[in-house]
Amino acid sequence: RLHVTSAARIRKGIAAMRSAVLRTSAGSAALRRRRFPAALGVKRGDNSLQHFGQSLGTCTGVGDQRVPLHSLSSAGSGRDRYVSGDDNILSSLSIQCHGAIRSYSSTCVLKEAKEDTTAEAVAGGTATPPTSTSDPEDDSDDTSPDPDNHDDIEELLSSQDYDPQTAVDDIFMASRWNQGLGPSGEWNPAFVRDALDNYERHLHYVLHKLNTTAASSSARDRDSGTSKQKSDGDDDGDSVDEEFRSIAERIDPDETKVRATKWLLSSNTVSRAFRSITRANLDTYDMGRRVRALERLIGSISLTPLTDLLSQNLLEANGKAGNVGRTLSLLALRKSRNYPPTKYEFDHAIQSIESAGLYLRKNRNVFLGEKGQPPLDNPTRWLDAILLNMSSRGVQLDTETANRMLDCYASMGRTGKAVHFFYDVVRDFVEEDGTYYGPMRDVGGGGDSSERQQAEGRNIPKRVLKHMPTFYNRKIKVRMRMRDPPPFHKVPSRVKGTLVRRQGSEDGATVTKLDQESERAWSPALTAAFAFADSLTHGACGHRPVELDKKSWNILIAACCNRGALWRAMQIADETMPNNGHEPDVYTYNTILGALARVGDVQTMRELMTKMNNSGVNPHSFTVDFLVSGHLNAGDIGGAVTIVQDMFNQHSVLPPYTTHLNIIEFALANDLVYEAKRHVYFLQQLWKWKPNDSVKPEFRKLMHLTKNNPKLTKKALKKLFRFFGEELTDEDFF
């Protein structure tokens, strides 16, 4: 009896373990099917964002999960036999959908897979498909309707709603820059998005109808033993039309809809659909998702011929969406098909790198070194691939294209060496009766009660209290708490005349700050930028040497400023540019002033401003903005107010309207109400300003926009003061 009981318990334990394993497997599969945004570079099942872009491979872009287009030959049946020519579209598309590879019998392939293709293969024009080791359920990361889920497709579109002619007309209208469909006859991006949605619904309906009739059609062909074989003397044009008609009638037998279906799937319409995506006013990630979804959908239908125009529009769409690897694959495809090269296709390839770097520009983790950043932080390998493709197709590099390539190094955001966090935003609770006791009241409502009773609180009027922000259902006063200044090695004026420790030196060797910034260990990406620029001047990848112009040096200065190499940037402006026959302009000084403002180096900004005036360079509105930002970061709010007044009186220049708001917000958040009202007084002087004959038209326009800006009106300024718990009365105005 004891043995039987033990065996029963063992069997129950094994059964419980099996069920647990099955549940775990199902949960893992569901986790793998979860869709994470590829623009963030997040792998399925990985909630860490710091490894963004690690799946880029060597020639791929953010969120781009594709291998190069290449040719496949495979036997097909039904509609597959229709796409048998070299021109037939995205036709021989091989698409990896839910782990099943569908090979269609044409030549071009848009394949969904992992990005394992090397940059050398793409640059050389050979596109070798990688060996995919991905999970079969690891599909693309978009949330578009599944082409294989026919139940969802039926819900999207019914046979009565199938109107291909209307879908085509809407796409043709949406592909224009100005459809005249807006409220005042302007461009309407909402109409473009609706047209794209309707077009995709029609494509899903077509795919659903073809899939549901393909099995029965293939069975009839096998049973009858009659497969359409074309003899050498058959006329291709008539036979293709007849074959397409037989396919289109499976979608809808109506003669009008048969002709419209041909237009729906034509390369011209598909080209306009991809062009419409670029004009739908979508974010980069959303654009990339829609481009990939439409590519898969067209490839699954496999009835559209790939043409020169279609490949160009594919390049443009993938380039603006940031699909770097996809774009380089299309370049290799155009080379293999001997399509005539155009300047725009290489511009789109460069644009793909800049679009893919948007994430780094907006969400870069400044607490990680360059080694912890994604490979796209150093775009040299992708730029070399573009250069090789250009050279192999007989397109010579010019200075304009070279500058666009150099700009990729300056488009990857700012590192931690170039920025500093100067303040924290603090919330202080206000009592229900409007009494404010000051900074001792923290967010949690703590603090010693005896101190609060002994402190003399300030009473805020109810008319002001109702405009103050709310946090945890309680009114709060927003304050600003300044942090410690940046470390001395970030500020040029503080490190001037001193030596710093050489990076990576174990013996404690010291060098000047300029020498430290020129070493490779300071920034490998910055070193690669200068090496790439130098290679262009000597002839890179088979191109003729290109001479760097003033814009080229300004781009390199911007790259230095984004990497925290301020001394190197100033050396280029003071020595390198004049030695090469170029004098610094307003863009040169503004770039350096902006970098100095981000570290709060007011002293060096004043010296640079003096040098700018002595060289005869007129300041720009952003010059004033950077000067104000530097003073605000350094905590000199009164100096920021004075700077705006002096620049207006001496140079007749004003900053953007957001600068005026920043000054008032900084002053009120630091309880400097007098400085805030002093700047309001200056704004009132602008309201009273009247132009004369000596005023330039540009300044006249700037004054008109500043005076009539709704954010700088009397009502808006009163509301801004009340947000910070202060009151701006009528007595404070003229």
Side-chain angles (χ1 to χ4, degrees):
R1 188 188 309 169
L2 182 60
H3 289 293
V4 172
T5 304
S6 301
R9 289 179 178 177
I10 291 174
R11 286 194 298 270
K12 289 183 179 180
I14 293 176
M17 292 174 61
R18 286 178 177 174
S19 60
V21 169
L22 290 175
R23 287 194 300 269
T24 305
S25 301
S28 300
L31 183 61
R32 288 194 299 270
R33 288 193 295 269
R34 289 180 60 185
R35 305 185 183 277
F36 290 90
L40 302 180
V42 184
K43 298 179 180 179
R44 288 158 180 77
D46 182 11
N47 58 359
S48 173
L49 298 183
Q50 66 180 3
H51 299 294
F52 146 77
Q54 294 298 328
S55 61
L56 296 179
T58 52
C59 67
T60 56
V62 178
D64 183 20
Q65 298 185 353
R66 276 164 184 70
V67 297
L69 285 80
H70 59 282
S71 298
L72 290 182
S73 59
S74 60
S77 62
R79 71 177 184 277
D80 303 342
R81 286 197 299 270
Y82 170 68
V83 288
S84 57
D86 275 344
D87 294 331
N88 286 329
I89 157 170
L90 308 164
S91 16
S92 62
L93 256 102
S94 170
I95 302 204
Q96 180 177 350
C97 236
H98 297 282
I101 302 292
R102 299 175 181 172
S103 299
Y104 300 101
S105 61
S106 185
T107 53
C108 169
V109 177
L110 298 175
K111 185 174 180 181
E112 178 80 15
K114 292 292 182 182
E115 307 113 330
D116 296 331
T117 309
T118 60
E120 292 77 5
V122 174
T126 59
T128 305
T131 302
S132 177
T133 58
S134 60
D135 191 283
E137 296 184 1
D138 188 8
D139 199 10
S140 64
D141 49 358
D142 62 84
T143 56
S144 58
D146 185 358
D148 291 337
N149 193 341
H150 307 308
D151 295 335
D152 294 341
I153 298 167
E154 287 292 345
E155 294 178 1
L156 291 175
L157 194 68
S158 62
S159 58
Q160 292 80 9
D161 297 331
Y162 180 66
D163 187 3
Q165 188 60 51
T166 301
V168 171
D169 293 341
D170 289 346
I171 285 296
F172 271 66
M173 181 70 71
S175 61
R176 303 176 184 174
W177 270 121
N178 186 3
Q179 313 94 344
L181 300 176
S184 302
E186 71 276 5
W187 171 49
N188 186 8
F191 169 77
V192 180
R193 292 190 289 268
D194 292 340
L196 285 170
D197 293 339
N198 187 36
Y199 182 71
E200 290 183 357
R201 283 195 295 267
H202 279 73
L203 292 180
H204 279 292
Y205 179 82
V206 170
L207 179 61
H208 169 54
K209 286 296 184 181
L210 294 177
N211 286 341
T212 54
T213 58
S216 58
S217 176
S218 300
R220 286 196 304 269
D221 290 344
R222 286 194 302 268
D223 295 339
S224 61
T226 58
S227 60
K228 294 184 180 180
Q229 301 289 341
K230 275 195 296 185
S231 63
D232 296 337
D234 287 341
D235 184 9
D236 271 353
D238 294 339
S239 62
V240 169
D241 288 341
E242 290 299 326
E243 191 168 359
F244 181 83
R245 178 180 298 276
S246 64
I247 296 174
E249 287 177 351
R250 289 153 50 188
I251 302 171
D252 197 302
D254 184 80
E255 179 63 25
T256 304
K257 292 186 178 181
V258 167
R259 291 194 298 267
T261 301
K262 186 174 182 179
W263 274 104
L264 184 76
L265 302 175
S266 66
S267 60
N268 191 12
T269 306
V270 175
S271 299
R272 291 179 178 269
F274 281 108
R275 186 184 301 170
S276 300
I277 294 178
T278 64
R279 299 174 182 179
N281 197 18
L282 298 172
D283 292 337
T284 304
Y285 164 69
D286 294 331
M287 184 187 300
R289 180 181 62 82
R290 296 209 68 159
V291 168
R292 294 192 295 270
L294 186 57
E295 282 188 19
R296 273 200 313 278
L297 190 53
I298 296 296
S300 300
I301 298 173
S302 184
L303 291 175
T304 307
L306 179 61
T307 61
D308 184 8
L309 177 62
L310 179 54
S311 63
Q312 289 187 35
N313 287 334
L314 276 169
L315 255 171
E316 179 183 3
N318 282 281
K320 293 182 178 180
N323 299 334
V324 182
R326 194 77 190 92
T327 307
L328 297 181
S329 303
L330 287 166
L331 283 180
L333 171 74
R334 289 180 57 81
K335 174 189 173 183
S336 64
R337 290 188 168 228
N338 296 322
Y339 289 146
T342 62
K343 179 180 180 297
Y344 298 104
E345 62 181 279
F346 301 108
D347 290 341
H348 296 324
I350 300 172
Q351 178 64 46
S352 67
I353 301 176
E354 295 178 340
S355 298
L358 177 64
Y359 176 82
L360 287 175
R361 294 196 296 274
K362 298 176 65 175
N363 304 296
R364 188 187 188 99
N365 189 348
V366 297
F367 299 102
L368 288 179
E370 291 193 14
K371 293 183 179 180
Q373 300 296 339
L376 194 66
D377 194 38
N378 182 3
T380 304
R381 65 182 74 172
W382 295 280
L383 295 175
D384 287 342
I386 298 174
L387 285 174
L388 287 173
N389 190 282
M390 294 174 61
S391 176
S392 62
R393 300 171 67 185
V395 179
Q396 285 299 323
L397 181 68
D398 56 4
T399 305
E400 181 182 357
T401 306
N403 289 338
R404 288 211 60 186
M405 289 185 169
L406 288 176
D407 194 46
C408 293
Y409 291 95
S411 302
M412 297 301 162
R414 305 183 183 98
T415 64
K417 298 176 181 178
V419 297
H420 181 72
F421 298 100
F422 286 89
Y423 59 88
D424 293 319
V425 176
V426 182
R427 308 180 185 93
D428 291 333
F429 281 120
V430 180
E431 300 296 336
E432 295 182 359
D433 59 355
T435 305
Y436 172 62
Y437 288 99
M440 69 177 63
R441 303 298 307 278
D442 58 7
V443 175
D448 185 69
S449 58
S450 60
E451 293 181 1
R452 294 199 300 269
Q453 293 176 359
Q454 296 175 3
E456 295 182 359
R458 178 171 68 90
N459 187 267
I460 300 177
K462 291 185 178 180
R463 60 180 178 275
V464 177
L465 187 64
K466 67 179 182 179
H467 292 282
M468 296 180 68
T470 303
F471 187 69
Y472 284 112
N473 298 323
R474 294 181 61 182
K475 292 294 183 179
I476 59 171
K477 179 174 174 57
V478 179
R479 291 190 306 106
M480 185 179 294
R481 181 172 57 203
M482 302 302 294
R483 289 186 173 186
D484 294 333
F488 83 99
H489 57 79
K490 282 188 177 182
V491 186
S493 61
R494 296 179 60 185
V495 78
K496 185 177 182 179
T498 62
L499 298 177
V500 294
R501 183 175 179 273
R502 181 190 297 271
Q503 288 190 344
S505 176
E506 298 180 356
D507 55 357
T510 57
V511 294
T512 63
K513 191 66 168 63
L514 177 60
D515 293 336
Q516 184 191 50
E517 294 174 354
S518 302
E519 295 176 350
R520 185 182 184 279
W522 174 265
S523 173
L526 184 61
T527 304
F530 279 90
F532 184 80
D534 185 66
S535 67
L536 297 180
T537 60
H538 292 83
C541 301
H543 292 273
R544 291 192 297 266
V546 176
E547 184 178 356
L548 302 182
D549 59 2
K550 183 182 295 186
K551 184 177 180 180
S552 307
W553 291 111
N554 285 339
I555 292 173
L556 291 175
I557 288 176
C560 291
C561 293
N562 290 343
R563 305 285 172 171
L566 301 184
W567 281 98
R568 194 172 186 180
M570 290 186 288
Q571 185 205 33
I572 295 175
D574 295 339
E575 301 177 9
T576 307
M577 291 183 67
N579 293 339
N580 288 272
H582 305 293
E583 292 297 329
D585 56 7
V586 64
Y587 300 103
T588 308
Y589 289 109
N590 280 352
T591 303
I592 301 177
L593 285 174
L596 294 172
R598 286 188 288 272
V599 295
D601 191 355
V602 176
Q603 180 179 343
T604 307
M605 292 176 67
R606 292 173 179 171
E607 297 175 358
L608 191 64
M609 191 63 198
T610 302
K611 188 181 301 183
M612 181 178 178
N613 292 331
N614 295 338
S615 61
V617 178
N618 295 323
H620 189 263
S621 60
F622 286 107
T623 307
V624 188
D625 180 49
F626 293 140
L627 292 172
V628 170
S629 298
H631 283 79
L632 293 179
N633 289 335
D636 187 6
I637 299 175
V641 178
T642 304
I643 281 289
V644 176
Q645 298 177 2
D646 292 343
M647 296 298 289
F648 175 76
N649 296 327
Q650 298 177 16
H651 302 280
S652 298
V653 62
L654 281 175
Y657 81 94
T658 53
T659 306
H660 301 292
L661 298 178
N662 287 340
I663 293 176
I664 298 175
E665 290 172 357
F666 264 75
L668 295 175
N670 286 277
D671 296 328
L672 299 176
V673 184
Y674 171 77
E675 296 295 343
K677 291 185 176 180
R678 186 161 76 97
H679 194 68
V680 171
Y681 182 81
F682 170 73
L683 292 177
Q684 296 179 65
Q685 290 178 328
L686 297 182
W687 297 344
K688 301 293 184 180
W689 181 87
K690 294 182 179 180
N692 51 38
D693 297 337
S694 61
V695 176
K696 296 181 179 180
E698 296 81 5
F699 184 69
R700 188 192 301 265
K701 180 179 180 181
L702 178 62
M703 286 297 301
H704 174 76
L705 295 176
T706 303
K707 293 168 59 176
N708 295 276
N709 194 302
K711 298 296 183 66
L712 299 178
T713 60
K714 180 178 179 180
K715 180 179 179 181
L717 293 176
K718 284 186 175 182
K719 184 177 180 180
L720 180 60
F721 269 69
R722 290 175 178 176
F723 180 87
F724 287 92
E726 305 295 339
E727 189 171 15
L728 194 64
T729 62
D730 292 336
E731 298 177 356
D732 297 316
F733 292 91
F734 294 155

